[in-house]
Amino acid sequence: MTLVIAAAITLTVMVFAVLLYALAGHELRTNEDLSLRRESDRIIQLIQTDPNWQGFSQCTWVRSPACAQTVAPTPAEDPDAGAGPALPITPQMREVASGVSVAFFTEATIGEDPIRVYVRPLPNQRALVVGVRDDRVLASFERLGWLLAATVLGALVVAAGTAYVAARRGLRPVDRLTAVAEGIAQTGDTHIRIPPSSTTEINRLGIAFNTMLGELEQSRRQQEQLIADASHELRTPLTSLRTNAAMLKNPDLEQRSKERITGALEHELMGMQSLVEDLIDLARHDQAPSFVEDMDLNELVLHCMENAQRRYPGIEWYWEGTRDHILVTGERARLARAIANLLDNAGKFTPEAGEFTPEPGKFTSEPGQVRLALTVSEGSVTLDVRDTGPGIPAQDLAHVFDRFYRSTNARSVAGSGLGLAVVHNIAMAHHGTARAHPSPNGAHLSFTLPLAHGV
């Protein structure tokens, strides 16, 4: 950053120095040439007042810094040379005398003295050559050049120093952020936060970094909680499986007991399979589906309802949706799992005929009911699942989709508390929503998905 800023400032100063040098040089030359023209005008006036004036043939540099002489078209016609040094005559000057060329300025030397020369035509085939010493102008050019070079060099030093100080001061918050990031990488401690900075951009970066650390810390806590809860949930069915498997080794076990234990084993294995599938789906969080296709949501819901009817035959299942095709886009297996979890949740909490009620000694006289409905609105479709179970307390509505959350009404029912969390994750992955609604009779859950494009 120091080099870039210093180079930019130096380049800017250098460009201005070059422009200033060119402008000053042009002004010096213009003034010098103007004085030569004025001197030539004065000499022409002298020639006009003295017709016998033959011009000068030498430059003495005594009374005036300028000298002058006339030039003829040929050397033979020139005036006789005097005692002093004469201006150098070139063929182009004789062309001006003969009328072939126009007036011009040029440089020459007399001995070691540089001179600036102006040549202009005169009447009667003559040319006037006026010269002035140029050493002072050239010295001014040289002094100006050295001054501007020193200015550029000084600007480079000052710019480099200023840029270094500014860069170090401006990047100090970045150094702090880097140190914090390195510390987190070494220790793994995500509780550290970046202090606020006075620089707006760095402060925004610090806020974003702190937000990222907060999300990382929360994700780590959720991961640790998931591992702990999964270990706890798997320990119980594994213990039951081990116990039942040991009982099957008993050779004196009756056939009826074997069938009962085998059924229990099958039930435990199905529960473990469901739990493992839930854990795998939760590990995917709300990532986008890996393989998407357009599918009829009506057909998918009816298929899941048929499976739920076989699993919970003592419950009355009602379909209140349409038979029209309702197309959605997504991963069929995950959407089927979300719908199946919603129906399984309703089936577990809806009483069957003959079951005990919460009041001791009483049974349900009528089977419970689960009602499914599909409603299409602008750009989306909603599956509503209503049951006649104990319902969801108002204080638990906001938490039913949390992982491993079990409300007070659900703790007497077998389950891991992951089914509805899977529903929420699958809905988020498909740009949809899952909600729990207050209901006076039973529970009311909904699952909303966007319609397929073009529908």
Side-chain angles (χ1 to χ4, degrees):
M1 185 177 291
T2 301
L3 292 176
V4 170
I5 295 176
I9 295 177
T10 303
L11 181 60
T12 303
V13 174
M14 187 179 297
V15 170
F16 278 103
V18 171
L19 292 176
L20 179 60
Y21 184 81
L23 180 61
H26 179 266
E27 289 297 322
L28 287 173
R29 282 296 183 198
T30 300
N31 292 332
E32 186 180 31
D33 292 345
L34 181 60
S35 66
L36 280 175
R37 285 194 179 95
R38 289 174 177 173
E39 184 67 14
S40 67
D41 291 339
R42 186 184 68 80
I43 294 174
I44 289 177
Q45 290 178 358
L46 180 60
I47 294 173
Q48 291 175 348
T49 57
D50 185 5
N52 296 321
W53 188 85
Q54 298 296 322
F56 305 111
S57 60
Q58 61 184 15
C59 291
T60 58
W61 316 110
V62 176
R63 295 184 178 180
S64 173
C67 63
Q69 66 186 65
T70 58
V71 177
T74 60
E77 301 177 64
D78 284 342
D80 295 335
L87 290 168
I89 306 303
T90 63
Q92 187 179 3
M93 295 178 182
R94 298 194 182 277
E95 291 177 357
V96 174
S98 61
V100 177
S101 182
V102 295
F104 65 92
F105 291 93
T106 186
E107 285 81 26
T109 57
I110 297 179
E112 295 182 356
D113 297 320
I115 59 174
R116 178 74 169 171
V117 177
Y118 176 53
V119 183
R120 63 182 293 180
L122 292 174
N124 301 323
Q125 297 291 306
R126 288 289 188 272
L128 177 63
V129 181
V130 183
V132 66
R133 290 180 61 173
D134 202 27
D135 49 353
R136 294 182 180 178
V137 175
L138 294 178
S140 299
F141 272 123
E142 185 176 0
R143 287 194 301 270
L144 180 61
W146 282 110
L147 177 61
L148 293 177
T151 302
V152 172
L153 183 60
L156 173 61
V157 175
V158 173
T162 305
Y164 179 78
V165 173
R168 293 304 305 168
R169 183 175 181 180
L171 293 177
R172 193 174 297 128
V174 179
D175 291 339
R176 290 200 300 266
L177 189 140
T178 303
V180 172
E182 291 175 348
I184 294 173
Q186 292 176 358
T187 63
D189 184 8
T190 57
H191 295 84
I192 304 175
R193 293 295 183 267
I194 304 295
S197 172
S198 58
T199 306
T200 304
E201 292 77 7
I202 300 299
N203 193 47
R204 288 176 56 193
L205 180 61
I207 293 173
F209 195 83
N210 289 337
T211 303
M212 181 189 67
L213 288 176
E215 295 291 337
L216 181 62
E217 185 178 358
Q218 182 180 2
S219 177
R220 177 177 290 183
R221 285 199 302 266
Q222 291 176 348
Q223 183 181 16
E224 293 172 352
Q225 185 67 33
L226 178 64
I227 294 173
D229 291 339
S231 301
H232 173 74
E233 293 293 335
L234 288 172
R235 189 177 293 114
T236 300
L238 284 174
T239 302
S240 178
L241 286 172
R242 188 182 300 111
T243 301
N244 289 329
M247 293 177 62
L248 285 176
K249 293 181 180 179
N250 185 0
D252 299 329
L253 192 65
E254 297 181 357
Q255 183 62 30
R256 181 179 298 178
S257 298
K258 288 183 179 180
E259 293 177 355
R260 180 178 56 81
I261 294 174
T262 302
L265 284 173
E266 183 178 2
H267 178 74
E268 293 293 342
L269 287 173
M270 290 180 61
M272 285 189 64
Q273 180 183 0
S274 177
L275 176 61
V276 170
E277 289 176 352
D278 286 342
L279 290 172
I280 293 174
D281 210 299
L282 285 174
R284 298 175 64 180
H285 297 285
D286 56 351
Q287 71 182 53
S290 57
F291 175 77
V292 297
E293 59 179 321
D294 289 345
M295 67 197 77
D296 184 0
L297 188 61
N298 257 325
E299 177 185 345
L300 190 63
V301 172
L302 288 173
H303 173 73
C304 294
M305 190 177 74
E306 291 174 0
N307 292 336
Q309 285 174 328
R310 286 192 292 268
R311 189 171 181 180
Y312 302 98
I315 298 174
E316 294 180 350
W317 296 82
Y318 292 96
W319 172 248
E320 298 177 352
T322 67
R323 296 287 176 173
D324 298 332
H325 293 291
I326 302 176
L327 295 181
V328 295
T329 302
E331 189 174 344
R332 181 181 293 271
R334 295 186 71 187
L335 290 179
R337 180 160 188 79
I339 296 170
N341 283 5
L342 281 175
L343 303 188
D344 184 68
N345 181 80
K348 285 189 298 183
F349 292 101
T350 301
E352 298 182 2
E355 284 187 349
F356 277 107
T357 64
E359 300 181 23
K362 292 187 178 181
F363 295 86
T364 56
S365 58
E366 297 293 335
Q369 299 177 354
V370 177
R371 297 182 178 274
L372 281 67
L374 275 179
T375 305
V376 178
S377 59
E378 293 183 3
S380 64
V381 57
T382 300
L383 170 64
D384 291 288
V385 180
R386 295 178 174 86
D387 62 51
T388 56
I392 304 173
Q395 65 271 17
D396 294 331
L397 287 174
H399 304 286
V400 294
F401 293 104
D402 296 343
R403 297 177 182 181
F404 299 105
Y405 184 81
R406 305 292 301 278
S407 68
T408 53
N409 294 342
R411 291 171 186 171
S412 61
V413 181
S416 62
L418 293 177
L420 294 183
V422 170
V423 173
H424 177 266
N425 274 18
I426 293 176
M428 295 293 292
H430 289 77
H431 307 289
T433 58
R435 293 182 178 180
H437 305 273
S439 176
N441 300 312
H444 176 197
L445 302 177
S446 65
F447 182 72
T448 302
L449 293 173
L451 293 172
H453 296 295
V455 178

